[in-house]
Amino acid sequence: AQCLVGSEMCIRDSLNVVRERAGIPDVTEEMLNDMPAMDWIRNERFVELWGEGLRYYDARRWMIAPEVFAAGVRKGLNMEQVEEPTFEELNQPVIVNQDYKWENRMYLAPIFANETYKNPQMVQAPEY
């Protein structure tokens, strides 16, 4: 039984394959009503691929980088507050206090200068 690409039932079934392997309860229809399906997909990718360096590229692909990488939005573990933190103290999410400004030019990567020298018709990405 094939599902229609993009249908909520197909999305739910695909998410549940990953969640079942991880021992996490299935996504139900009610849960899909609470949060849009695309947000479920983004969250599952975030959780499943955490620490593999793909979040930056996902945020660029989905055009959500300003919302997830803006200053005051990113969170990390509470590592600098206590000398030898307990597990509970360490796992307190804290806002990363670091100036960071997403600029739309960052959706495109700059082209290496020597590549533009090799091919004079190639132009640099805008604003680089």
Side-chain angles (χ1 to χ4, degrees):
Q2 286 186 322
C3 59
L4 296 173
V5 175
S7 71
E8 287 196 12
M9 188 171 73
C10 182
I11 292 168
R12 187 183 70 229
D13 293 345
S14 299
L15 287 171
N16 288 337
V17 168
V18 176
R19 293 174 68 89
E20 183 179 322
R21 183 183 53 101
I24 302 171
D26 287 350
V27 174
T28 63
E29 285 186 47
E30 296 79 33
M31 294 166 79
L32 280 176
N33 291 336
D34 293 340
M35 190 165 73
M38 190 61 192
D39 288 345
W40 275 102
I41 293 168
R42 290 175 180 161
N43 187 61
E44 290 298 318
R45 273 191 66 85
F46 176 70
V47 171
E48 184 71 18
L49 301 173
W50 185 86
E52 295 186 18
L54 299 175
R55 179 72 172 155
Y56 174 76
Y57 301 103
D58 284 348
R60 284 177 53 200
R61 181 182 324 109
W62 295 325
M63 304 290 285
I64 60 169
E67 295 96 48
V68 297
F69 296 137
V73 172
R74 294 173 299 135
K75 294 184 179 178
L77 295 179
N78 187 16
M79 296 181 70
E80 298 178 357
Q81 305 300 326
V82 182
E83 179 112 356
E84 291 185 32
T86 65
F87 183 77
E88 290 77 23
E89 291 171 328
L90 178 68
N91 282 315
Q92 295 297 318
V94 294
I95 292 178
V96 175
N97 188 14
Q98 187 177 29
D99 291 336
Y100 185 82
K101 180 181 176 201
W102 178 267
E103 296 178 15
N104 284 338
R105 72 182 176 102
M106 297 164 76
Y107 281 119
L108 297 174
I111 299 169
F112 291 112
N114 56 347
E115 293 298 322
T116 60
Y117 298 144
K118 291 179 193 175
N119 183 355
Q121 294 180 347
M122 185 177 293
V123 296
Q124 184 58 273
E127 300 184 41
Y128 281 101

